[in-house]
């Protein structure tokens, strides 16, 4: 519930691993969030974290998958 003139602050992860066992089908981009909140007047919509954070997440999940595939769970924990 939002009072007239109230503000909405919304954040969402974009590049994160799949969250199992719950189905995970939604990744909102900047344009997706603008569409989702289309009945509101946006004051600001921006990316908080950039390419370096995306790369860090991608590399961490890559190494977790590699080490887990070889059965080295210690390596997966380090990457996480």
């Amino acid at each position: 519930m939002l009072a007239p003139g109230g503000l909405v602050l919304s954040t969402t992860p974009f590049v994160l691993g799949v969250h199992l066992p719950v189905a995970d089908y939604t990744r909102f981009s900047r344009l997706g969030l603008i569409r989702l909140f289309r009945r509101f007047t946006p004051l600001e919509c921006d990316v908080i974290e950039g390419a370096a954070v995306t790369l860090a997440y991608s590399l961490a999940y890559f190494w977790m998958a590699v080490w887990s595939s070889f059965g080295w769970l210690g390596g997966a924990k380090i990457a996480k």
Side-chain angles (χ1 to χ4, degrees), residues 23-43:
D24 182 20
Y25 302 113
T26 306
R27 298 292 168 168
F28 290 111
S29 64
R30 180 181 180 276
L31 292 175
L33 287 171
I34 290 171
R35 170 96 170 115
L36 183 66
F37 290 101
R38 65 186 171 273
R39 294 183 179 192
F40 295 85
T41 303
L43 299 177

Side-chain angles (χ1 to χ4, degrees), residues 15-75:
V15 180
L16 291 177
V18 176
H19 305 285
L20 296 175
V22 178
D24 182 20
Y25 302 113
T26 306
R27 298 292 168 168
F28 290 111
S29 64
R30 180 181 180 276
L31 292 175
L33 287 171
I34 290 171
R35 170 96 170 115
L36 183 66
F37 290 101
R38 65 186 171 273
R39 294 183 179 192
F40 295 85
T41 303
L43 299 177
E44 183 178 343
C45 184
D46 206 353
V47 175
I48 295 173
E49 297 172 338
V53 173
T54 302
L55 178 62
Y57 276 117
S58 297
L59 289 174
Y61 280 99
F62 169 78
W63 286 113
M64 284 191 308
V66 168
W67 287 328
S68 294
S69 70
F70 289 107
W72 187 37
L73 298 180

Side-chain angles (χ1 to χ4, degrees), residues 4-22:
L7 296 175
V8 174
L9 172 65
S10 175
T11 64
T12 183
F14 186 71
V15 180
L16 291 177
V18 176
H19 305 285
L20 296 175
V22 178

